[in-house]
Amino acid sequence: MKEKTVQKKKKRLVFRTILLAVMAGLVVFALVSNFNSDKAVVAEGEPAPDFQLEKFGSDGETIALSDLEGKGVMLNFWATYCEPCKKEMPYMEKLYSEYKKKGVEILAINLDSTNLVVEQFLDRYGISFPILQDENGQVMNRYNVGPIPSTFFISPEGKVVKHVVGPLTLEKLDGYLQQITPEA
């Protein structure tokens, strides 16, 4: 009887070991596939995908990236629940009017779903640059945005000059905006 119990335990151990090895193999496969897949964000030097989104707080007014051809465009993906987003918004506001005169447009694409929270956020921070609503996440998906804030700096020719994941300092923001300023 004892021998039968030992045999069952050995079989269970072998079965569990095989199952564990298969599961570990699947995890490794998933990780390798994820790293090797074509999920790279829009690469620097590539054309920025066009989109059209409704401007927050307007009655149906939309902005399309293609409408801004010839201008430098800073495209910032953010949400009100994102603490780093809150820190960089005042920097964008501080530089907005200066760079708008130079031919650079700052567009902030909001990923929140509730308008009231966004409205309160914009009032609190006194934001004057265009806020676009990406309610369905269509633009976020086209740009393959993961962590936020995520910012794309687009040249007047429509190519991605720089992609930054994470918050921007005032100095870095100023430097990137200079890179996409149209030549006079």
Side-chain angles (χ1 to χ4, degrees):
M1 184 103 138
K2 236 180 179 181
E3 195 172 308
K4 271 189 170 181
T5 307
V6 170
Q7 286 288 12
K8 282 184 180 180
K9 285 184 178 182
K10 282 184 181 180
K11 285 182 182 179
R12 246 188 265 148
L13 179 64
V14 169
F15 177 76
R16 288 178 180 166
T17 304
I18 291 171
L19 190 59
L20 185 61
V22 168
M23 289 174 55
L26 289 173
V27 168
V28 169
F29 174 77
L31 290 172
V32 169
S33 295
N34 192 29
F35 285 122
N36 290 335
S37 70
D38 196 19
K39 284 194 88 174
V41 293
V42 177
E44 293 172 7
E46 287 185 2
D50 194 20
F51 62 86
Q52 183 172 346
L53 288 175
E54 189 171 331
K55 192 173 171 183
F56 184 81
S58 73
D59 292 323
E61 182 186 347
T62 61
I63 294 179
L65 183 61
S66 56
D67 294 341
L68 302 172
E69 192 175 326
K71 293 183 175 189
V73 178
M74 175 187 160
L75 200 57
N76 177 262
F77 291 85
W78 70 285
T80 58
Y81 55 82
C82 166
E83 289 302 318
C85 299
K86 292 177 186 178
K87 290 179 181 172
E88 71 180 5
M89 278 286 175
Y91 303 144
M92 294 184 331
E93 181 61 34
K94 182 174 183 166
L95 296 174
Y96 177 61
S97 62
E98 173 189 343
Y99 279 95
K100 182 152 179 77
K101 292 174 191 168
K102 295 178 180 181
V104 174
E105 189 62 65
I106 294 177
L107 301 176
I109 298 182
N110 180 264
L111 306 175
D112 284 296
S113 58
T114 54
N115 289 344
L116 180 62
V117 174
V118 177
E119 195 174 307
Q120 290 171 344
F121 181 91
L122 298 178
D123 287 345
R124 182 192 309 143
Y125 288 92
I127 303 300
S128 61
F129 51 85
I131 305 295
L132 306 177
Q133 284 294 112
D134 191 17
E135 292 176 358
N136 301 325
Q138 64 202 28
V139 178
M140 181 180 84
N141 290 338
R142 286 194 82 185
Y143 280 78
N144 207 1
V145 172
I148 56 173
S150 192
T151 308
F152 293 85
F153 294 91
I154 303 167
S155 73
E157 296 78 33
K159 296 195 187 251
V160 175
V161 173
K162 185 74 177 165
H163 174 231
V164 179
V165 176
L168 293 161
T169 63
L170 183 60
E171 295 77 25
K172 284 184 181 180
L173 179 58
D174 190 34
Y176 294 135
L177 290 174
Q178 286 177 23
Q179 289 180 30
I180 62 169
T181 300
E183 294 179 16

